[in-house]
Amino acid sequence: MKRFLWILAWIAVAVWSLFAWGAYGLLDFFGGVAARNADIVTGHPETVEWLSWALTTLRGLGLGAIVAVWGLVSLLILAVPAVLGLFLGGSRREPYVEDWRGPRIDPGTPYPPAPGQPPIRRIDKR
């Protein structure tokens, strides 16, 4: 279930990234066209220069805002499966998974105890 949530989240981030990339490209293109053609609005040279500067600044701020919003939304999308994973808990281990290995042996014992005998006790020095 967790893996499925992560796959959906990464697909959502990919779709969101394509949308943000398209918005970035459109704003870059139309902002550049508007800044280059500021002389269509007025013929006064100082006004054209100011308008071109203002449109270029707005384009730069808009591109930065698109990148910031893209990053924030991507993090929020990826936070959903992380938080849901905490609520879903860890994966449950089936009891038969470790049966094939046999009984666990303490690494400090030189050999496993014989069946029916109590385990060997270790004497630790103080």
Side-chain angles (χ1 to χ4, degrees):
M1 182 67 170
K2 284 187 194 179
R3 181 173 289 165
F4 180 68
L5 287 174
W6 279 106
I7 290 171
L8 284 180
W10 281 109
I11 290 172
V13 167
V15 170
W16 167 245
S17 296
L18 288 174
F19 175 75
W21 186 31
Y24 186 93
L26 287 173
L27 182 63
D28 188 34
F29 176 74
F30 287 115
V33 168
R36 283 190 301 272
N37 295 318
D39 58 341
I40 294 174
V41 176
T42 182
H44 191 261
E46 290 178 5
T47 307
V48 170
E49 183 180 350
W50 180 85
L51 187 59
S52 177
W53 173 84
L55 291 172
T56 302
T57 303
L58 284 175
R59 180 179 130 223
L61 289 173
L63 295 177
I66 287 175
V67 170
V69 168
W70 168 80
L72 181 65
V73 171
S74 295
L75 285 176
L76 288 174
I77 290 171
L78 292 175
V80 169
V83 170
L84 287 178
L86 292 174
F87 289 123
L88 291 176
S91 62
R92 296 184 190 127
R93 296 186 126 201
E94 298 296 328
Y96 61 84
V97 171
E98 301 215 4
D99 287 344
W100 67 274
R101 292 187 188 140
R104 292 186 181 240
I105 300 172
D106 184 19
T109 59
Y111 53 88
Q117 291 184 352
I120 299 173
R121 296 181 61 185
R122 220 172 156 181
I123 301 173
D124 294 325
K125 294 181 182 179
R126 290 186 186 198

